[in-house]
Amino acid sequence: MKPSSSRRSAFGLAAALLALGLAPLFIRNDFYLDGFILVFLWASFSGAWNILGGYAGMVSLGHNAFFAIGAYTSTLLFLRLGITPWLGMFAGGLLAAAVGILLGIVCFRLRSHYFALATLAFGQVVFILTMNWRGLTQGAEGIALPIEPSLAHMVFASKLAYVYLGFGLFLVVLAVAIAIERSRLGYFLTAFRENEDAARALGVKTGQVRLIAMALSAFLSAVAGTYYAQYVVYIDPSGVSRLQLSVQVALFAIVGGLGTFSGPIIGACIFVPITIALRSYLGTTAPGLHMIIYGLILVLTMLYMPKGIYGTLKARMTARTQKESRR
Amino acid sequence: MDLTLFVQLLISGLLLGGVYALSSIGLTLIFGVMKIVNFAHGEFLMIAMYLSFWLYHLLHVDPYLSIAVVAPALFGLGLLTYHIGVRPTLGAPHLNQIFVMVGLSIVIENAALLWWSADFRTVTLDYLRVQIVLGPYPGFGLEEVIINPGRLIAFFVGLAISVAFYFFLKLSYSGKIIRATSQDRSTALLMGIDIDKVYRLTFAVGLLLVGVAGALMIPMFTVHPFVGFEFVLVMFVVVVFGGMGSVAGAVLAGLFIGVVEVFSDFLIGPDSKQAVYFLLFIAVLVLKPSGLFGLKGEEEVERIEAIE
């Protein structure tokens, strides 16, 4: 491959980000701005999942727990102790990272399907806790944040402010993913995913690098949870801790391109508009239709494009450049 | 807790556990032979329950007789699913195997929501209204113990099917090649066993078993699009507890989890009973991931190659 191709892709990335970042400025319609917010929210959460699920190949079905920890921690710290969500966000992230490390220590010796089942059980325990620990979470009733727009409270009147808050979060997740991909950590994680025994034989501390990935992944998922809470200004178990959230973010990353930093945003850019369009055109007449489409896309991707959209495109492009350079 | 209450809870728990055991056998069989967790197993249970419900509702077929239709239908659905969704991913990474089945479960669940709405549907059978009363046995210090006849039927039919299935695996040629493949795939292949056929049969039989479970459950449990999700979580607990791939383990673990659920329901309350067995579940995964009856090292098993 010629060196220009990596420069070309860096240029493409910058152009895409610029377009994503500038487009909302020209949109006056709250309906479309809401779409941008959801794209950034899901791309961030999905990107966080991708750090563990994509690079390390550890399929977690319990990331709803981290999202919930983030949402509840910042919200409760704000309502009970008056701590601004700007700090509460970090508190939630650190708590989630700590919980993630504990979960990792306990579950990392489990392989593939067993790890997925263990994390699923963990996510479900957190869901049950948020449903039943009423003194803390008010159960299914949920907790509402006061709607008093102020920068200090991280509550805004204009959607545009939320768009850029979400964009900022997405850029952070993207930066972490790119940094991982280019650092030794990324290679270690990939080595583990491809062949654990070989990675160990070469001296990769597979336990340690996976714990780092888990902590980063949990931290960023929790921050996405805080962002959700601040935007919706209401959290309840079905919004922030249901198991389906984990499946959904995994789905975005997988369809977009697993273990690539572009995958989650591609997934979010495909699925969020589908959801919004179906909801607004069909309303409540066809409940579940958007989930049927999600499921079908997931199954078809797994069967015919196992590397996801980005992975498949990249493989084609590489094949083409190789053919050209051979001429 | 007095003795009567204890016996009452124990019996209720065992009867509930019988249902769990029966619905989990197919899941553990598929895992044991193919090393695949069927994440859509709950949705297949839901389909079986709906089939049985509609047969009763539209054609007035008794749910227990509907087994004759539901079980073969699920067997056929198993063949179809194997061909479309399972076979192509056999050599693929685990992630692909997991998410094909997860995607399938999402599609089935929401298709049911779309077609049949979120209504809760029940079948009430007049002859199951009677209550079986045991006792009192003053000699043992026991007062009356009440038994739900629907659960009793499900328990004994489930037990009979588990035993029949055990002998199918032990004695029939099909059972033998399934066991051979489960124990050592490469050697089975060398002995001339058609692995593809074994997998196809295993998957279809796994679904047939869950079909029987669905028909037995419809007189007692309401069916709705999310019923599969509710039950599949319990089934995962049962299967891991009994040791993935162990049929006898699934039966015993099913009974155990049923008892745990009924007791924690009584002692802690219905809201938190699920949390109890999920914590148990994580504890088993951590301390003895191979379960109570599983083969050691099974949880770290290598993925199998694609069928050529």
Side-chain angles (χ1 to χ4, degrees):
Chain A
M1 232 197 292
K2 290 173 190 169
S4 68
S5 84
S6 79
R7 211 179 299 155
R8 205 193 300 158
S9 69
F11 183 73
L13 178 71
L17 286 177
L18 206 65
L20 262 181
L22 288 179
L25 287 177
F26 301 101
I27 294 170
R28 289 268 168 270
N29 186 332
D30 274 1
F31 181 77
Y32 292 113
L33 287 181
D34 184 63
F36 273 91
I37 292 169
L38 293 177
V39 164
F40 291 139
L41 169 70
W42 292 114
S44 306
F45 188 10
S46 179
W49 181 90
N50 196 32
I51 293 173
L52 187 70
Y55 296 115
M58 304 287 289
V59 177
S60 158
L61 293 175
H63 263 56
N64 54 321
F66 303 129
F67 193 73
I69 288 173
Y72 277 105
T73 305
S74 64
T75 302
L76 289 173
L77 282 178
F78 177 65
L79 289 179
R80 303 227 169 146
L81 302 174
I83 296 174
T84 167
W86 293 103
L87 290 176
M89 166 172 95
F90 288 100
L94 290 174
L95 182 62
V99 171
I101 288 173
L102 279 179
L103 184 71
I105 290 171
V106 163
C107 295
F108 273 173
R109 71 191 186 103
L110 302 173
R111 293 287 158 273
S112 62
H113 288 114
Y114 280 83
F115 181 76
L117 285 178
T119 49
L120 182 141
F122 168 72
Q124 192 65 9
V125 168
V126 171
F127 174 76
I128 295 167
L129 274 179
T130 55
M131 280 297 269
N132 295 311
W133 194 349
R134 296 207 176 81
L136 192 70
T137 65
Q138 297 179 24
E141 200 182 301
I143 308 174
L145 276 164
I147 310 174
E148 297 156 3
S150 97
L151 182 63
H153 294 175
M154 210 199 271
V155 175
F156 305 99
S158 95
K159 292 234 175 199
L160 206 56
Y162 281 111
V163 170
Y164 283 104
L165 193 60
F167 188 53
L169 173 62
F170 169 67
L171 286 181
V172 169
V173 174
L174 190 70
V176 171
I178 292 175
I180 289 177
E181 222 169 275
R182 301 197 154 195
S183 69
R184 287 157 67 90
L185 179 65
Y187 290 104
F188 286 162
L189 291 172
T190 312
F192 164 80
R193 182 186 70 201
E194 295 302 325
N195 190 331
E196 184 181 359
D197 293 332
R200 278 200 184 167
L202 290 171
V204 176
K205 290 176 180 157
T206 55
Q208 200 181 321
V209 296
R210 279 183 298 157
L211 281 183
I212 296 172
M214 173 66 115
L216 285 171
S217 179
F219 184 94
L220 293 171
S221 301
V223 174
T226 298
Y227 176 61
Y228 172 92
Q230 295 305 124
Y231 176 54
V232 183
V233 290
Y234 169 75
I235 53 172
D236 67 334
S238 82
V240 300
S241 64
R242 65 177 198 283
L243 194 65
Q244 283 79 0
L245 289 174
S246 300
V247 174
Q248 195 173 325
V249 288
L251 187 154
F252 288 6
I254 291 168
V255 172
L258 195 70
T260 63
F261 59 78
S262 315
I265 182 75
I266 293 175
C269 284
I270 291 171
F271 284 104
V272 171
I274 291 178
T275 317
I276 293 177
L278 285 176
R279 278 208 188 128
S280 52
Y281 288 122
L282 299 171
T284 51
T285 52
L289 185 60
H290 73 282
M291 289 307 288
I292 296 180
I293 293 174
Y294 276 28
L296 281 177
I297 293 178
L298 179 60
V299 172
L300 293 175
T301 307
M302 288 291 84
L303 293 179
Y304 299 108
M305 272 202 297
K307 287 180 178 167
I309 292 169
Y310 184 77
T312 309
L313 284 180
K314 198 177 164 192
R316 273 207 197 139
M317 300 251 281
T318 319
R320 199 193 294 160
T321 35
Q322 274 171 350
K323 210 184 271 173
E324 277 168 11
S325 61
R326 236 178 269 146
R327 264 180 211 157
Chain B
M1 190 187 294
D2 70 353
L3 185 63
T4 308
L5 186 59
F6 179 81
V7 172
Q8 176 73 64
L9 290 177
L10 188 66
I11 290 178
S12 304
L14 287 174
L15 293 183
L16 178 67
V19 173
Y20 289 165
L22 181 61
S23 52
S24 308
I25 295 175
L27 187 62
T28 205
L29 174 75
I30 291 169
F31 182 84
V33 177
M34 306 167 70
K35 315 299 176 214
I36 283 178
V37 175
N38 180 7
F39 279 89
H41 207 69
E43 277 62 39
F44 291 119
L45 176 75
M46 174 200 64
I47 291 178
M49 289 173 81
Y50 267 116
L51 264 179
S52 187
F53 171 83
W54 288 116
L55 283 171
Y56 176 80
H57 194 74
L58 300 175
L59 304 171
H60 307 290
V61 178
D62 187 281
Y64 295 113
L65 297 179
S66 77
I67 292 175
V69 180
V70 176
L74 267 283
F75 185 86
L77 187 61
L79 293 179
L80 186 72
T81 311
Y82 174 77
H83 203 74
I84 295 172
V86 182
R87 193 171 186 272
T89 62
L90 281 175
H94 295 296
L95 185 133
N96 297 50
Q97 299 169 351
I98 291 172
F99 280 99
V100 162
M101 297 320 281
V102 168
L104 197 61
S105 79
I106 295 174
V107 172
I108 296 174
E109 183 181 278
N110 289 285
L113 179 66
L114 195 61
W115 283 328
W116 295 320
S117 80
D119 293 350
F120 283 51
R121 297 169 199 272
T122 41
V123 170
T124 319
L125 298 173
D126 283 331
Y127 60 83
L128 289 182
R129 289 228 177 110
V130 291
Q131 282 189 328
I132 303 168
V133 180
L134 291 181
Y137 301 110
F140 299 97
L142 270 180
E143 288 160 39
E144 289 176 347
V145 173
I146 298 161
I147 292 173
N148 177 321
R151 294 196 180 194
L152 195 67
I153 294 174
F155 181 82
F156 281 112
V157 175
L159 209 63
I161 285 173
S162 307
V163 172
F165 182 64
Y166 178 81
F167 283 110
F168 162 77
L169 283 183
K170 251 324 186 237
L171 302 176
S172 76
Y173 178 73
S174 301
K176 280 177 186 163
I177 60 174
I178 286 177
R179 277 190 300 134
T181 309
S182 169
Q183 280 163 18
D184 190 334
R185 185 182 167 276
S186 315
T187 312
L189 196 61
L190 287 173
M191 296 297 131
I193 291 175
D194 182 350
I195 300 288
D196 186 35
K197 186 182 154 193
V198 171
Y199 284 175
R200 196 168 57 217
L201 183 70
T202 303
F203 200 82
V205 168
L207 260 60
L208 179 143
L209 289 168
V210 88
V212 176
L216 286 173
M217 282 160 74
I218 195 69
M220 296 168 284
F221 294 93
T222 50
V223 61
H224 52 92
F226 306 107
V227 76
F229 177 70
E230 279 173 20
F231 276 100
V232 84
L233 294 174
V234 185
M235 290 190 234
F236 286 150
V237 178
V238 167
V239 165
V240 169
F241 231 84
M244 290 240 219
S246 162
V247 171
V251 172
L252 290 175
L255 298 176
F256 177 69
I257 293 297
V259 172
V260 168
E261 179 173 329
V262 168
F263 272 90
S264 45
D265 188 351
F266 178 77
L267 294 172
I268 311 172
D271 295 336
S272 309
K273 63 179 182 190
Q274 261 204 326
V276 172
Y277 55 67
F278 279 120
L279 290 174
L280 263 175
F281 178 56
I282 295 176
V284 169
L285 276 174
V286 171
L287 300 173
K288 199 169 183 306
S290 51
L292 301 176
F293 299 90
L295 299 169
K296 201 168 164 42
E298 190 86 37
E299 75 282 4
E300 297 179 2
V301 83
E302 280 299 304
R303 69 167 180 251
I304 50 178
E305 293 84 39
I307 293 171
E308 298 307 324

